[in-house]
Amino acid sequence: MATINRNYLKLQGSYLFSTIAKKVSAYSAEHPEADIIRLGIGDVTKPLCPAVIDALHKSVDEMGSADSFKGYAPDLGYEFLRNVIAEKDFHDRGCDIAADEIFVSDGAKSDCGAIQEIFGLDNKIAVCDPVYPVYVDSNVMAGRTGEYDKGLQRFKDVVYLPCTRDNGFVPEIPEEVPDLIYLCYPNNPTGAVIKKVELQKWVDFALKNGSIILYDAAYEAFITEGDVPHSIYECEGAKACAIEFRSFSKTAGFTGLRLGYTVIPKELKAGGEELWPLWARRHGTRYNGAPYIVQRAGEAIYTDEGRAQVREQIAGYLENARIISEGLSGAGYEVYGGVNAPYIWMKTPDGMSSWDFFDYLLEKVQIVGTPGSGFGPGGEGYFRLTAFGSRENSLRAIERIQRL
Ligand code: PLP
């Protein structure tokens, strides 16, 4: 008789976005004339830039001709893409990452979720609270956590690292030593960043204890300030203790195209065993590569033209973030993030719960955001707004909030 992986039963329902959708559609049904502004979405809205579209057209034509047709991509990704990534994302920033330490994939979510497979089930994970839920849930599915404690709203046998306004949403080093440490900067949902000296402390801690840092840099392209590392490999010794995930989704609007990559340095070991061959084996066994045309599209964002176009898009989103966060601060709200990230993390007023504030904004000014408590108990009392909408809607939303 077939049985199921019972770890899946430990997962908590992902009610956040479905509850938001239900509440919004109920409100629209009652108020069909309502002009709702959605600042909750975590998806980009700007179209792909011309350099990417040109590369797509060109590579689609190649696929239609017998002499340039491409079938399966090489396991680690095409060299033309891995070489340009190594040069522009790492060498240009002084990081010594080789092209064959880069594994091209269909995005950071798949890789952040799958990376735990190459580690033992007895590893203890540490995650930030609040957190992007993929890190926890993928470990729950694998059986690396205990049961869910409804009272604490946390899984047992997981080290939770509180990220609060007091610590600038950068966690303190815990007393209990975890084996796998998930860090994400610039952060979703708080929009916070980690300074290089702070990240170096985590690298030193991991090196001292034989832990591995799983560093999600999906929002790296939004960094505007100088002392913020773009890669964990800017820290000394990180190649011996860290894996890094990158994504083309928010950098260049590839959420629908799908492209990302993971860096596993050759020297990286866990318990004396090299990790690179394990991930190479996993990649080769379970994955057949990002499409040729998408890898060509990815290559295009590294040309001078592509880079300028992508930077302009990001500048547009960051301008929305500025409009939203300055507008909220001007209206007396306590606001974080939005400078090096597309996320604005605001404190709810008058001690309101995250969901009460959601209802309040929807009813009073027809604005939709994301309740912070949906990202973990540490997000209670906070609310996330995103800068991925249009400039016009960002301005209109702020005008409405200022009228409250
Ligand atoms: N990592 C973080 C922190 C994210 O917020 C997201 C998407 O929202 C991802 C990874 C997923 O990236 P991708 O689209 O490359 O799978």
Side-chain angles (χ1 to χ4, degrees):
M1 185 181 68
T3 60
I4 59 159
N5 174 353
R6 301 197 72 77
N7 293 311
Y8 276 63
L9 303 181
K10 294 183 200 163
L11 291 167
Q12 299 303 295
S14 176
Y15 297 126
L16 181 62
F17 290 101
S18 64
T19 309
I20 292 173
K22 270 187 216 145
K23 280 181 179 261
V24 174
S25 62
Y27 183 86
S28 304
E30 262 179 55
H31 307 86
E33 74 301 338
D35 171 20
I36 296 173
I37 301 179
R38 289 162 210 271
L39 294 184
I41 42 164
D43 199 353
V44 292
T45 54
K46 293 183 196 293
L48 293 165
C49 68
V52 167
I53 293 295
D54 286 349
L56 283 170
H57 282 304
K58 214 171 130 220
S59 50
V60 165
D61 287 343
E62 283 181 68
M63 294 297 265
S65 172
D67 54 1
S68 51
F69 169 78
K70 300 280 186 303
Y72 289 123
D75 270 2
L76 270 63
Y78 282 100
E79 262 187 32
F80 63 76
L81 180 58
R82 291 190 292 125
N83 285 338
V84 78
I85 288 171
E87 187 193 329
K88 306 274 182 187
D89 285 349
F90 296 101
H91 300 172
D92 286 0
R93 294 202 174 275
C95 305
D96 176 24
I97 294 294
D100 62 359
E101 294 175 314
I102 292 160
F103 293 77
V104 173
S105 74
D106 64 350
K109 190 185 210 173
S110 329
D111 287 355
C112 290
I115 197 71
Q116 45 77 28
E117 277 183 29
I118 62 169
F119 295 97
L121 280 182
D122 52 353
N123 282 229
K124 184 165 264 197
I125 66 158
V127 292
C128 292
D129 176 21
V131 71
Y132 175 60
V134 173
Y135 318 139
V136 181
D137 286 359
S138 54
N139 280 285
V140 173
M141 290 168 172
R144 209 171 276 104
T145 71
E147 294 292 335
Y148 187 70
D149 181 326
K150 282 209 157 57
L152 293 175
Q153 298 174 52
R154 288 176 164 185
F155 285 95
K156 294 194 175 118
D157 302 326
V158 171
V159 178
Y160 286 90
L161 308 166
C163 293
T164 64
R165 58 183 165 176
D166 295 335
N167 60 24
F169 306 102
V170 173
E172 276 107 40
I173 304 269
E175 274 171 26
E176 183 180 2
V177 177
D179 304 300
L180 303 175
I181 303 162
Y182 288 85
L183 292 178
C184 169
Y185 288 100
N187 187 261
N188 178 13
T190 64
V193 282
I194 191 166
K195 297 269 161 80
K196 193 167 164 189
V197 278
E198 292 301 317
L199 189 55
Q200 185 67 55
K201 287 183 197 162
W202 281 96
V203 168
D204 295 344
F205 172 76
L207 288 172
K208 184 171 149 221
N209 295 295
S211 310
I212 301 285
I213 299 176
L214 303 167
Y215 195 70
D216 185 346
Y219 296 96
E220 170 275 333
F222 289 81
I223 294 172
T224 58
E225 292 179 324
D227 51 352
V228 177
H230 287 246
S231 165
I232 194 167
Y233 303 115
E234 288 176 42
C235 294
E236 214 171 300
K239 278 176 75 181
C241 68
I243 290 174
E244 182 164 302
F245 307 98
R246 294 277 190 106
S247 168
F248 287 65
S249 286
K250 310 297 160 72
T251 304
F254 275 47
T255 51
L257 270 190
R258 310 303 307 143
L259 191 66
Y261 65 85
T262 290
V263 182
I264 309 213
K266 288 265 174 78
E267 67 185 73
L268 183 61
K269 290 183 182 171
E273 301 281 355
E274 291 175 358
L275 292 174
W276 189 98
L278 302 189
W279 189 245
R281 184 61 197 254
R282 188 264 165 206
H283 219 56
T285 303
R286 293 246 208 158
Y287 184 61
N288 251 341
Y292 172 70
I293 59 172
V294 177
Q295 295 197 44
R296 279 291 183 202
E299 181 192 25
I301 74 162
Y302 294 96
T303 60
D304 289 346
E305 192 195 12
R307 187 161 266 216
Q309 292 167 359
V310 160
R311 283 199 176 138
E312 197 183 317
Q313 289 193 340
I314 290 173
Y317 290 134
L318 283 170
E319 170 64 2
N320 292 346
R322 188 194 61 76
I323 290 168
I324 296 168
S325 54
E326 287 183 4
L328 289 171
S329 304
Y333 291 96
E334 199 179 314
V335 183
Y336 304 93
V339 176
N340 298 289
Y343 297 116
I344 296 103
W345 189 241
M346 64 184 290
K347 188 93 193 78
T348 57
D350 309 321
M352 261 189 203
S353 78
S354 300
W355 276 110
D356 283 350
F357 189 62
F358 174 91
D359 293 334
Y360 174 76
L361 277 191
L362 180 60
E363 273 156 34
K364 297 276 182 201
V365 284
Q366 294 76 52
I367 290 171
V368 177
T370 312
S373 54
F375 300 97
E380 182 55 276
Y382 287 90
F383 201 70
R384 192 192 76 173
L385 297 173
T386 79
F388 288 125
S390 65
R391 178 186 165 85
E392 191 201 353
N393 274 351
S394 305
L395 286 165
R396 287 170 64 228
I398 289 307
E399 273 168 29
R400 289 189 194 178
I401 292 178
Q402 285 173 339
R403 281 204 309 266
L404 268 173

